[in-house]
Amino acid sequence: MLQRPEHQVAGHEAGSGTLGPLIDGSGNFYKPLNPSDERGAHELAFYTSFYSDTQVPQSIRSSFFPSFGGTRILPVPDSPDLLLPHLVLGDLLHAYSYPCVMDVKMGARTWYPSASEKDFAKYWKKDLESTTPLLGFRISGLQVHHESGRWKPYRDKVRKYTVTDVRQSLRQFVSKNPDKTPPDCALASSVYGGSNGILAQLLQLKSWFEDQTLFHFYSTSLLIAYDKGGKAAQVKLIDFAHVMKGEGIIDHNFLGGLCSFIKWVSEILTDSDPEAAAGPAEPEATVGPTENETH
């Protein structure tokens, strides 16, 4: 029984005439390949190349990337007569009962070198409306399951977060009271810290990016997740429609964003005062104010 992912926090959602991912409840995640959009073919080519490249350490593949099972023809929700190929990937949240999830788009620029002028303008506009140029990353969506329910701010608000908003949301993500002010950061040590925590995994990923010159990951995200209460923290890379060949050059765009994100996570761990505003002072704003919203 195919269904829409309940815990999707970013990207296109399936249904109402829109193509989006599906899950089968058995650990598989199906991402549609639209024949009219070259991004799907590009992502399929990346997975095929990545999983056959002997230069990629198996430990990196298994630790930081979804499993890949080729493609499968599936019906489109709300249009059962329309059949499309889908990437067959591992459902990264399958083992979680109450997943807390954050999608972090990496890099100080999300457009790729071969982008058309139209695509460049689209990506650049989104970048400027976010913290991408300032921090080298932006939060695209998040949710936290806590004692009182689920906290999930609206995506349109999240995508235009300021530096101050990012600082706050990274604290809310590891709090038992994410919808309160100030957030308590009660789960920071169990989620961000420890030998198997988010920070340790980010540092391991950083070590690979400091050496790898096979790929440049444009507009790729980190999926940060853990189960309610601070269990089973994981870091995965997702979204590879704009990955380019590295041509023997370090991916400084992704690596710079990763180093920045590591710094921000580290500062939350070292901040002993839950009410303190961790992180550097906010740079002068470069975009207009965002809408006020609670959810």
Side-chain angles (χ1 to χ4, degrees):
M1 179 68 71
L2 297 175
Q3 55 188 311
R4 301 172 182 87
E6 179 184 356
H7 304 292
Q8 183 178 350
V9 297
H12 298 293
E13 294 180 327
S16 300
T18 303
L19 292 176
L22 301 168
I23 57 174
D24 62 9
S26 299
N28 293 314
F29 181 97
Y30 302 97
K31 189 169 184 178
L33 300 174
N34 189 342
S36 64
D37 190 335
E38 64 180 10
R39 289 178 297 180
H42 196 102
E43 187 160 23
L44 173 58
F46 165 76
Y47 272 109
T48 302
S49 171
F50 182 79
Y51 273 88
S52 62
D53 195 324
T54 58
Q55 298 179 80
V56 178
Q58 180 56 35
S59 60
I60 293 296
R61 266 195 291 261
S62 60
S63 296
F64 296 110
F65 290 81
S67 61
F68 173 57
T71 62
R72 181 177 174 184
I73 304 297
L74 296 173
V76 174
D78 301 332
S79 302
D81 295 332
L82 178 60
L83 301 176
L84 285 179
H86 288 64
L87 291 171
V88 182
L89 307 171
D91 180 359
L92 301 177
L93 304 179
H94 175 66
Y96 292 162
S97 299
Y98 298 97
C100 302
V101 189
M102 178 165 52
D103 183 301
V104 185
K105 191 167 291 292
M106 304 302 294
R109 52 176 280 189
T110 59
W111 73 92
Y112 45 101
S114 60
S116 65
E117 290 189 13
K118 179 180 178 181
D119 285 342
F120 164 77
K122 178 180 70 174
Y123 285 105
W124 180 230
K125 181 177 183 294
K126 289 182 178 179
D127 287 353
L128 286 180
E129 291 175 342
S130 73
T131 60
T132 288
L134 294 171
L135 301 182
F137 67 86
R138 70 171 177 259
I139 298 175
S140 297
L142 72 163
Q143 72 171 24
V144 178
H145 283 279
H146 56 101
E147 284 79 356
S148 303
R150 180 173 68 165
W151 174 74
K152 187 177 182 180
Y154 290 108
R155 292 191 197 180
D156 288 345
K157 167 67 175 177
V158 175
R159 283 194 289 259
K160 296 182 180 180
Y161 269 178
T162 65
V163 173
T164 297
D165 295 328
V166 167
R167 179 183 302 134
Q168 179 79 347
S169 63
L170 289 175
R171 300 171 66 82
Q172 290 170 296
F173 185 64
V174 289
S175 294
K176 291 184 178 180
N177 63 340
D179 53 347
K180 306 297 182 182
T181 302
D184 58 27
C185 291
L187 303 175
S189 60
S190 59
V191 175
Y192 289 153
S195 59
N196 297 315
I198 297 301
L199 181 58
Q201 294 178 54
L202 291 172
L203 290 172
Q204 181 185 351
L205 184 62
K206 174 176 171 283
S207 294
W208 183 60
F209 268 92
E210 287 174 334
D211 292 327
Q212 80 88 15
T213 59
L214 301 171
F215 305 100
H216 285 186
F217 292 86
Y218 292 100
S219 202
T220 291
S221 289
L222 292 180
L223 185 78
I224 312 292
Y226 68 92
D227 213 358
K228 179 182 175 181
K231 300 172 289 185
Q234 68 168 327
V235 175
K236 298 286 186 180
L237 275 74
I238 58 172
D239 298 336
F240 307 111
H242 301 306
V243 176
M244 312 293 288
K245 291 183 178 180
E247 306 292 353
I249 300 172
I250 295 287
D251 186 357
H252 293 289
N253 182 59
F254 188 101
L255 179 59
L258 181 58
C259 290
S260 175
F261 188 66
I262 287 171
K263 179 178 182 291
W264 281 71
V265 171
S266 299
E267 287 174 342
I268 293 175
L269 278 172
T270 57
D271 178 14
S272 59
D273 181 1
E275 298 187 24
E282 182 171 2
E284 183 177 347
T286 59
V287 296
T290 56
E291 59 185 340
N292 293 322
E293 170 184 82
T294 59
H295 182 55

